[in-house]
């Protein structure tokens, strides 16, 4: 290859869509049987979601402007998880940004974050997203890999579809860029 372009260095390549779907169905079935249900955030719920994220995400998370969120509730309608997303569009191609994924400590390890993460494309958007991206801590790579995301080494840049420049993370606690194409929705 005569190109000087180097492939980005990866922490982990995302699991294939079929494996992600199988795990999603397994977790979602168990959680639904326990009374968990999901829905898109309404505008009046933003303050509640802001408080929840601040209580369950390390550091100083902000939820100021957002395109929306997927919320999970237990059988008593207590908020137990939230995926807060943003959106960017380049050359007509919409990409979702994972701004925050917050899960109540009592529900961690049961697949709630995994299932909530898979539902981001349910937030109403002007067009179907082509991918989802974000930046994460290196120790979160395995979780996101299992959810179908490819995770880059700290400092490696991510080229979004249609974007004029690549993105990289300068966040100390979250130095790894990650992304996935939106294939789960294509299988449903």
């Amino acid at each position: 290859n005569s190109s000087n372009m180097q492939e980005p260095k990866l922490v982990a390549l995302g699991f294939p869509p079929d494996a992600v779907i199988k795990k999603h169905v397994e977790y979602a079935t168990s959680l639904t049987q326990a009374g968990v249900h999901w829905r898109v955030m309404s505008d009046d719920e933003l303050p509640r979601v802001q408080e929840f994220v601040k209580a369950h995400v390390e550091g100083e998370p902000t939820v100021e402007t957002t395109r929306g969120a997927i919320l999970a509730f237990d059988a008593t309608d207590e908020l137990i998880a939230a995926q807060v997303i943003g959106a960017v569009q380049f050359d007509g191609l919409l990409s979702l940004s994972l701004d925050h994924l917050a899960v109540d400590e009592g529900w961690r390890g049961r697949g709630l974050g995994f299932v909530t993460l898979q539902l981001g494309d349910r937030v109403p958007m002007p067009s179907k997203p082509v991918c989802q991206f974000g930046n994460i801590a290196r120790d979160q790579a395995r979780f996101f890999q299992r959810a179908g995301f490819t995770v880059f080494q700290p400092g490696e840049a991510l080229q979004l579809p249609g974007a004029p420049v690549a993105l990289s993370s300068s966040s100390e606690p979250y130095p790894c860029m990650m992304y996935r194409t939106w294939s789960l929705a294509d299988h449903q």
Side-chain angles (χ1 to χ4, degrees), residues 66-68 83-99 120-121 123-134 149 158-165 167 177-182:
T66 179
R67 284 293 295 180
Q83 176 189 185
V84 179
I85 63 169
V88 295
Q89 192 162 343
F90 300 105
D91 275 351
L93 300 173
L94 184 71
S95 297
L96 299 182
S97 64
L98 173 63
D99 294 346
D121 67 335
V123 174
M125 294 286 163
S127 61
K128 182 178 175 162
V130 295
C131 72
Q132 186 172 23
F133 70 97
F149 287 84
L158 167 63
Q159 183 66 52
L160 289 176
V165 296
L167 303 175
M177 295 299 299
M178 56 89 176
Y179 82 98
R180 68 163 168 201
T181 57
W182 215 273

Side-chain angles (χ1 to χ4, degrees), residues 1-2 10-11 35 52 55 57 116 127 129-130 137 143 149 159 188:
N1 188 349
S2 61
L10 304 179
V11 173
F52 183 82
V57 173
T116 303
S127 61
V130 295
F143 169 81
F149 287 84
Q159 183 66 52
Q188 296 179 344

